[in-house]
Amino acid sequence: MNIILLLGTLLVAALAAGHLANRFGVPHVVAYIIVGLIFGESGLQIFSGPILDAFSPVVYVALAMIGFMVGGELKHDVFKKYGAQFVGILFCEGLFAMALVSGLVWLWTDNPAVAILLGALSSATAPAATVDVLWEYRARGPLTTTILAIVALDDALSLCLYGFAFAFAEMSLTGVADFSSMLLGPLVEIFSSLALGCAVGFSLDMGLKFMRQEDDSLLLNLGGIFLGAGLAVYFGLSLIMVAMAIGVWLTNSHPHRNEKSFEAIKKFAPPIYTVFFVLVGARLRIDLLPQMGVIGLLYILGRTSGKWSGAYWGARLSSSPAVVRKYLGLALFSQAGVALGLALDIFQHFSQYGVAGHELGGIILNVIAATTVIVQIIGPPAVKTAIKMAGEIPETAR
Amino acid sequence: MRGKLIKDLRPYETASLVTEKAELVTILREFINNPSLHHVCVVNEDGKLLGLINRKRLFKTVFSHHVAPDTMINKLLLFHDAQTSGDIMLTHILTATEDDSIDDVIRLMIEHNIRELPIIGPKGKVIGFLTVLIIMQAWLREQEGR
């Protein structure tokens, strides 16, 4: 099958599956993964082998867009207003989840690289599925505000943790053993990525000042993001962190003017994201799931208990209201785009390190894809339970 | 209109002023009591302009749960959590002074797709709003006077 025909088929199938899933209250991302599963390596095998590899640039583009949009959320105004109030909760829920997942997976697999990577990925929360529920029930109150602030900021924390975990895992796989390199390597990579992203963001911001037509702005935005992503790949830096830094620069330098940049990328993104999620499903190996079942269970156990306890202690430290302390953790279970994106990034990157790297990438991708299906299904009802128990669903919306 | 200044177009549209601490209901009443009003000016104690609130922004804030959930979260958070005018005012705003040239202001209004512009006097105080209607009325008078 030629690639254009395959691409058309996948997009139409994903659209139909998405609508079908909607009717049963299942998030779109789950439907896209299932479409990938049907067409991919564990299904009809139409979308497999060299064809999957040919779609690698789509993964880079999707990762760059995800990073850019996450960066766009890191607005100075949000930090100024909510930063001090929510920073404790943010770090506790993210780091507790990472620590528990890493610890449990390390104990079971004795593989520090797999453990730390899965730990870093566990800290991300999917905003869309969470906000959908808050909006559906017109929730209002301190818990709802806290949920919104945390889901806006915690993907950025996840990307930072991922930056460290990625460099650490790479060094452990390539045999660098001394402690100073393990500490210095990730720091150099993260700061270089942020510096490159800021430089590209600054140039993009300068250029956008002269754009009068929307089409020109879209071209320049895409050009800037792709340029940043391409340079990151060329210099061996973190593509997603470079893109995040571009987003942070744009959203803070001229917030009002550059808001259009994020809206333009958002409009452009759906087909890219859809293919991207289908790719995740296509890479999913059903035959490996029984072997990875325990890791998946440990991941879900560590993540949910880490998020819950972290949110509790973070809220306690920051003297948040009782409803936030008690129920916030319940509302942070969903995971989707960022975790899947990073998992696919790991798969593509680590596959170059021979059998061990390929195996590591396979484990991460399979665990994240399979657990995403589960937490995307249990996540939204958990959010509803949290806001209901907190008394933040108005009578009229029940 | 060549060579003319903004002050040649007086009188301007009257500006409605509220403080940073004004509740959303107060702003809503300003709009309801004055149906031709498109913007409310948010000013500090000295009357200096801090920001603007338009009808669309207030509408989105009051009905925040109808704003698409896939909108950027920082925006949703702003609409959801807003309580006073200071929370929702637009701070990156375009203004003009009475000594600016009309041609420059017309270009600015067309380029940014805006239909009224606050005119700022000494110490950043709002004198009034220059609207597209005021400019077109002046243009018509000029044409008819030839």
Side-chain angles (χ1 to χ4, degrees):
Chain A
M1 192 183 264
N2 71 53
I3 285 187
I4 294 291
L5 183 59
L6 180 62
L7 193 59
T9 313
L10 287 177
L11 285 175
V12 173
L15 178 72
H19 277 279
L20 191 69
N22 235 2
R23 295 185 67 170
F24 295 100
V26 176
H28 282 187
V29 60
V30 174
Y32 299 156
I33 292 174
I34 291 169
V35 168
L37 200 62
I38 294 167
F39 282 88
E41 289 180 333
S42 296
L44 302 170
Q45 295 190 342
I46 298 168
F47 202 37
S48 61
I51 296 182
L52 271 179
D53 295 335
F55 276 90
S56 298
V58 177
V59 177
Y60 288 135
V61 171
L63 282 172
M65 286 181 170
I66 289 172
F68 181 70
M69 296 309 286
V70 169
E73 296 288 4
L74 302 183
K75 238 177 179 167
H76 172 249
D77 293 353
V78 176
F79 272 110
K80 202 170 131 192
K81 193 167 177 193
Y82 302 102
Q85 192 183 348
F86 297 128
V87 74
I89 302 177
L90 181 71
F91 277 95
C92 284
E93 62 92 17
L95 292 175
F96 275 41
M98 180 175 182
L100 278 177
V101 169
S102 299
L104 289 171
V105 174
W106 196 350
L107 281 175
W108 179 258
T109 61
D110 199 25
N111 185 334
V114 170
I116 196 164
L117 283 169
L118 278 175
L121 267 51
S122 71
S123 56
T125 315
T130 312
V131 176
D132 264 342
V133 180
L134 300 179
W135 256 223
E136 186 186 347
Y137 292 98
R138 300 174 188 206
R140 204 171 272 278
L143 177 64
T144 308
T145 303
T146 312
I147 295 170
L148 284 172
I150 296 296
V151 296
L153 302 174
D154 91 339
D155 280 348
L157 173 69
S158 177
L159 294 193
C160 294
L161 295 176
Y162 174 70
F164 275 98
F166 186 92
F168 175 85
E170 192 168 36
M171 279 188 284
S172 79
L173 212 68
T174 50
V176 177
D178 67 296
F179 185 73
S180 61
S181 302
M182 283 205 165
L183 200 67
L184 204 62
L187 281 174
V188 169
E189 188 173 328
I190 287 172
F191 283 108
S192 307
S193 303
L194 293 178
L196 174 62
C198 287
V200 175
F202 172 75
S203 315
L204 188 53
D205 186 44
M206 290 286 119
L208 283 169
K209 196 162 65 179
F210 300 105
M211 295 299 118
R212 296 286 170 260
Q213 306 294 326
E214 273 188 26
D215 291 353
D216 292 345
S217 299
L218 176 63
L219 280 179
L220 185 61
N221 277 311
L222 281 176
I225 296 169
F226 290 178
L227 195 71
L231 286 171
V233 173
Y234 182 78
F235 289 117
L237 298 174
S238 166
L239 180 154
I240 202 157
M241 290 210 80
V242 170
M244 183 176 85
I246 298 174
V248 173
W249 188 282
L250 287 192
T251 201
N252 289 294
S253 56
H254 292 95
H256 188 59
R257 187 185 77 202
N258 294 337
E259 208 176 286
K260 289 176 189 148
S261 298
F262 295 97
E263 281 166 15
I265 296 297
K266 202 156 202 173
K267 279 184 193 158
F268 182 83
I272 308 276
Y273 286 166
T274 305
V275 173
F276 173 74
F277 290 131
V278 170
L279 273 171
V280 172
R283 293 263 189 210
L284 190 60
R285 295 269 307 274
I286 290 274
D287 56 315
L288 294 180
L289 285 183
Q291 279 169 265
M292 291 174 197
V294 178
I295 303 177
L297 280 176
L298 292 174
Y299 177 86
I300 291 180
L301 184 72
R303 186 172 179 273
T304 47
S305 49
K307 289 248 169 205
W308 206 332
S309 56
Y312 175 83
W313 284 106
R316 220 182 138 130
L317 280 175
S318 53
S319 310
S320 297
V323 286
V324 176
R325 284 204 300 270
K326 282 186 197 165
Y327 307 118
L328 176 64
L330 255 181
L332 301 176
F333 292 163
S334 290
Q335 77 174 17
V338 170
L340 286 168
L342 298 179
L344 206 49
D345 188 39
I346 292 167
F347 182 85
Q348 288 203 167
H349 184 84
F350 283 87
S351 290
Q352 66 181 310
Y353 296 122
V355 181
H358 192 78
E359 195 183 329
L360 178 143
I363 294 172
I364 304 274
L365 186 65
N366 277 278
V367 168
I368 295 296
T371 55
T372 295
V373 172
I374 297 167
V375 293
Q376 278 294 82
I377 289 168
I378 62 166
V383 177
K384 186 188 165 186
T385 308
I387 52 173
K388 195 176 171 186
M389 291 173 87
E392 296 195 0
I393 301 181
E395 286 287 333
T396 48
R398 281 178 194 173
Chain B
M1 307 287 271
R2 188 166 290 172
K4 282 195 171 176
L5 300 178
I6 299 291
K7 59 182 155 202
D8 298 327
L9 300 186
R10 284 178 190 158
Y12 313 118
E13 193 103 340
T14 313
S16 172
L17 310 180
V18 295
T19 66
E20 252 184 304
K21 306 277 178 210
E23 288 182 3
L24 298 183
V25 179
T26 312
I27 310 161
L28 188 55
R29 288 210 176 98
E30 287 285 325
F31 282 114
I32 292 168
N33 294 337
N34 188 355
S36 63
L37 195 67
H38 292 287
H39 289 95
V40 167
C41 299
V42 183
V43 296
N44 68 10
E45 293 154 356
D46 303 324
K48 188 184 171 191
L49 180 66
L50 301 173
L52 292 179
I53 298 169
N54 59 30
R55 292 175 180 186
K56 198 165 81 179
R57 203 163 174 84
L58 184 62
F59 188 62
K60 281 185 183 174
T61 309
V62 173
F63 299 105
S64 61
H65 287 111
H66 294 280
V67 178
D70 64 347
T71 308
M72 293 192 78
I73 311 283
N74 60 52
K75 222 169 166 182
L76 294 180
L77 189 57
L78 179 135
F79 289 135
H80 174 82
D81 205 32
Q83 281 166 351
T84 64
S85 54
D87 293 333
I88 60 164
M89 65 182 179
L90 290 161
T91 50
H92 294 82
I93 50 173
L94 296 168
T95 59
T97 67
E98 289 204 287
D99 293 324
D100 287 338
S101 114
I102 295 178
D103 284 336
D104 287 346
V105 170
I106 291 172
R107 259 194 299 276
L108 190 76
M109 291 174 89
I110 290 176
E111 191 182 314
H112 293 276
N113 196 24
I114 48 179
R115 54 185 171 184
E116 59 181 29
L117 196 66
I119 306 300
I120 304 298
K123 295 180 182 171
K125 287 188 178 176
V126 189
I127 302 172
F129 273 96
L130 180 68
T131 67
V132 289
L133 200 63
I134 293 174
I135 299 173
M136 286 193 291
Q137 276 170 345
W139 178 81
L140 192 61
R141 277 198 302 272
E142 196 179 84
Q143 297 300 308
E144 287 169 349
R146 277 183 183 171

